Amino acid sequence: MDGETKGIGSSGSALGALLGGAAIPVSATGVLAIDLGALAANYRMLRGLASPAECAAVVKSDGYGVGAVEAGRVLAAEGCRSFFVATPGEAASLRSALPEATIYALDGLLPGSGGHFKAHRLRPVLGSIAEIEEWSAFCGSEGVERPAAIHIDTGINRLGLKADEQRHLLANRKLMNGFGLSLIMSHLACADTPDHPKNSAQRADFTEFCAQFRRTPLSLANSAGIFLGADFHFDLVRPGIALYGGNPFAARPNPMTPVVRLYARILQIGEADAGETVGYGASLELQRRTRYATVSVGYADGYFRKLGSSNGQRGAIGWLDGRPLPILGRVSMDLAVFDITDLPEASAQRGGFVELIGPHFTVDDAAGLAGTIGYEILTSLGSRSTRVYLGAGGAAQSG
Ligand SMILES: *Cc1c(COP(=O)(O)O)cnc(C)c1O
C-alpha cells in the first residue's frame, strides 16, 4: 500500500483511490469490487485450454453475483458468442444487453412459455419429451423452425432426458421435426473430483447417445470438466465458476485469477475489558482489554454466520492496511465485529473500510470456514453491496 495514503480504514475516498479512482457513494456500506480485467483473463485462459472447442459462458444467478449484464458485455467483447443462464427471466434481461448473442436457458421450457422464448430470441434447453413436444408444437404452429438444445441426463439425476426417454426419442426422431436442434448437452456430477469414475462413465453414455447425431454440436464440460482434458471438450464448453475466479476443483489449488473483493464500513469503534463478551449469545469472551470495530457486514450480505468466532473456535479474518483483524463473536444479520487492538489508531476510523474478502482471505477461505463451496459464497455476495467495476480497459464505475 502507498505509504502516503492513510489507508482504506480512513474513508471512502481512500478506498476509491485504492480501487483505481472509483467513486464510492457516501451511502455505500458494503462494496463489492469486481475486476473485469481478471474476468476477461480467466475467459482467455479457459478458451485456450478448450480450443478448438467454442468457449461459452454461464452467467446464471446474475453472473454468480458479479452482474450478468456487465460480465456478459466484457465476455462478448472477448469474443464469447454463446451464453447460458438458468431462468427464462434471466435470459430476457441478458438479451437486452447482448442483442447478437446466442442465449440458452438451462431451466428449459416452462409450460406455455414459448412466446417468451420467441419474443426475446432465446433458446430453451429441452430436458424431457414433454418439453420437446411442446417446443415442436409451438414452432410448428408458426411454421418457423426455432433453435433449441436438448439435455440428456447421463447420471446426475437432475434435469435432462432419462435413458428411457433417450431411447424413445431415438425411435421417434420426428418429435424434433418442428425445430432446429442446435446443441446436445449433458452435465457432469463429479467433474470437480478429476479421479472420480463417474466422469468417464458419463462421458461414455454421452458419446453413445450422440453417435446417433452426426452434425449436431455437443457439450459436456463445465469449468472443472474443461480441466479433465480434450476428451471432455466436444464442440462447446460451459464454464461458470472459474470465470469468476472460484476454484473449479474440490481438493486442488485454485488455478484461476480472483475477480471479487468485498469491503464494508466501520460504523463504530469501541473498547471492552477482559472478561466481557461480544455479540449475540455471548459466545466469545475477551481474553484482554480489546479495541474493536463494528463493521457493516452480516449474513444478509453473504458474509455467512459460520464465519463468526466463539470461545476456542476461530473465525474469519478481516484486513486493514495489511494487518489481520480476527472476528469477534457471532456474525449477525447486518453487523460483524473485528479486533483492532493491534492496529495503529490512525488506521481504523469511523466510515473507513475493512477488507473482508480479497487476496488475504479468499472466497475459497470463506467457503472452507463456512462449510460450503465458493459458488454459494459468490452468489450470496453483493445483494446489498454497491458493486464497483474495475479494469477491462475502462475507468472504475459503480453500479
Ligand atoms: C451451472 C452450470 C454450468 C457451469 O458450471 P460451473 O461448475 O460453474 O462451471 C454448466 N452447465 C450446467 C448445466 C450448469 O447448470
Side-chain angles (χ1 to χ4, degrees):
M1 170 149 314
D2 182 350
E4 311 254 319
T5 68
K6 282 178 76 191
I8 60 168
S10 53
S11 73
S13 58
L15 176 63
L18 181 83
L19 297 179
I24 307 295
V26 290
S27 61
T29 49
V31 169
L32 188 67
I34 297 154
D35 184 345
L36 296 172
L39 174 74
N42 286 335
Y43 179 75
R44 290 192 294 268
M45 192 256 233
L46 296 166
R47 180 177 59 194
L49 282 174
S51 173
E54 177 185 346
C55 190
V58 180
V59 296
K60 60 194 181 189
S61 189
D62 207 7
Y64 289 49
V66 314
V69 163
E70 290 81 359
R73 287 202 177 111
V74 167
L75 295 167
E78 288 295 324
C80 182
R81 301 189 304 277
S82 303
F83 293 83
F84 290 81
V85 291
T87 72
E90 291 175 343
S93 314
L94 190 63
R95 169 56 76 215
S96 329
L98 301 177
E100 308 294 332
T102 295
I103 301 176
Y104 286 101
L106 292 163
D107 284 355
L109 196 63
L110 307 179
S113 67
H116 176 87
F117 282 85
K118 172 190 165 188
H120 301 283
R121 291 176 291 119
L122 310 172
R123 300 184 182 187
V125 176
L126 306 170
S128 65
I129 296 292
E131 284 177 68
I132 288 172
E133 286 175 341
E134 185 174 332
W135 185 245
S136 261
F138 176 74
C139 294
S141 69
E142 302 196 318
V144 183
E145 289 192 12
R146 297 182 195 283
I150 60 171
H151 188 172
I152 66 158
D153 184 357
T154 50
I156 194 169
N157 280 313
R158 224 172 51 162
L159 290 176
L161 282 81
K162 312 287 175 244
D164 59 334
E165 288 189 300
Q166 293 169 32
R167 282 191 296 274
H168 181 78
L169 186 67
L170 291 176
N172 299 276
R173 286 182 174 234
K174 62 178 186 322
L175 289 175
M176 296 184 292
N177 280 353
F179 68 89
L181 180 58
S182 59
L183 187 72
I184 304 175
M185 57 168 272
S186 189
H187 192 49
L188 296 166
C190 305
D192 65 348
T193 309
D195 301 332
H196 202 291
K198 203 163 176 96
N199 293 321
S200 51
Q202 286 193 264
R203 184 187 174 280
D205 285 353
F206 185 62
T207 307
E208 188 187 331
F209 177 82
C210 294
Q212 307 299 316
F213 298 81
R214 284 289 160 75
R215 282 179 299 275
T216 311
L218 310 178
S219 176
L220 180 61
N222 63 344
S223 299
I226 295 172
F227 291 87
L228 294 176
D231 280 357
F232 286 81
H233 295 163
F234 296 92
D235 301 298
L236 178 146
V237 295
R238 309 186 307 269
I241 190 74
L243 292 170
Y244 310 102
N247 192 351
F249 301 117
R252 289 191 185 182
N254 188 352
M256 309 312 298
T257 305
V259 170
V260 306
R261 280 172 282 163
L262 178 70
Y263 302 88
R265 294 242 198 218
I266 297 172
L267 300 175
Q268 192 167 324
I269 288 171
E271 290 200 31
D273 280 327
E276 291 193 56
T277 65
V278 180
Y280 282 127
S283 66
L284 182 91
E285 187 179 313
L286 297 173
Q287 301 300 307
R288 58 173 179 174
R289 181 161 178 85
T290 301
R291 269 177 75 234
Y292 61 83
T294 305
V295 172
S296 59
V297 71
Y299 55 78
D301 300 286
Y303 196 74
F304 280 44
R305 201 162 169 278
K306 285 237 174 79
L307 299 178
S309 69
S310 57
N311 295 332
Q313 181 76 46
R314 285 165 197 265
I317 308 283
W319 288 80
L320 189 47
D321 290 356
R323 293 176 196 251
L325 314 180
I327 197 168
L328 296 172
R330 288 188 187 159
V331 174
S332 42
M333 186 185 294
D334 320 298
L335 299 170
V337 179
F338 294 85
D339 187 341
I340 57 169
T341 313
D342 298 333
L343 200 64
E345 227 164 274
S347 279
Q349 287 176 21
R350 175 178 152 256
F353 282 87
V354 172
E355 178 192 302
L356 300 163
I357 289 181
H360 302 97
F361 187 76
T362 66
V363 167
D364 295 316
D365 292 335
L369 199 57
T372 180
I373 53 177
Y375 295 72
E376 194 179 8
I377 301 286
L378 272 175
T379 54
S380 306
L381 294 175
S383 50
R384 188 156 60 173
S385 308
T386 300
R387 287 180 183 152
V388 173
Y389 292 97
L390 322 169
Q397 292 175 353
S398 58

